[in-house]
Amino acid sequence: GAVLRERLVAAEGSERTGLPLLAFAGTVITAAVGLGAETINMAGALSAEDGQLTADTAQIYFDVSYALGAPSAGVGIAMVAVPTAAIALRTGRPIRRWAAWTALLVGLAALTPAMLTPAFGLLTLLALLLLAGLSIQLYRERGGDVVRRTE
């Protein structure tokens, strides 16, 4: 999150909008709700292992972890994607404009009920893999080395 914030600040130049800080907050929220959801799942698994998990308790664990893991993560994802896209559409950095439009669509979709569908997760994963692969290829074409080597 901090690296993204620094890249967004550099892309903005002298104009300060607060968008890099919003994107950083989105990374923190996404990580926090993900950790919270998985911690609740772990508590449920430990209760089941001890033989203390009733059907009602299992449903509570599921409902709480789902509420943290899906809708809350969608807000965090949008808080990362939309400011990044806005800066990139304005400046052309740190990602290309076509990637910014993709990020904007993913960010806006993360705020809708579409975020709760398996298709959203799959499409988001595919979009991220595509963006990462193309970014690495473009970086290599410009003579960069993806892995920094210290000798």
Side-chain angles (χ1 to χ4, degrees), residues 35-114:
L35 180 62
E38 293 309 315
T39 301
I40 292 166
N41 285 335
M42 182 186 67
L46 292 173
S47 293
E49 185 178 72
D50 294 342
Q52 301 172 356
L53 188 64
T54 65
D56 290 338
T57 307
Q59 188 64 49
I60 291 169
Y61 281 133
F62 174 79
D63 291 343
V64 172
S65 69
Y66 184 79
L68 278 176
S72 301
V75 173
I77 290 168
M79 287 174 65
V80 174
V82 173
T84 300
I87 290 171
L89 288 171
R90 224 178 35 244
T91 66
R93 296 182 354 201
I95 57 176
R96 295 186 176 273
R97 293 193 194 291
W98 63 266
W101 283 111
T102 302
L104 182 62
L105 290 175
V106 168
L108 294 176
L111 296 173
T112 70

Side-chain angles (χ1 to χ4, degrees), residues 127-140:
L128 291 173
L129 291 174
L130 175 68
L131 291 174
L134 290 173
S135 296
I136 290 170
Q137 182 176 350
L138 290 171
Y139 187 70
R140 284 183 175 159

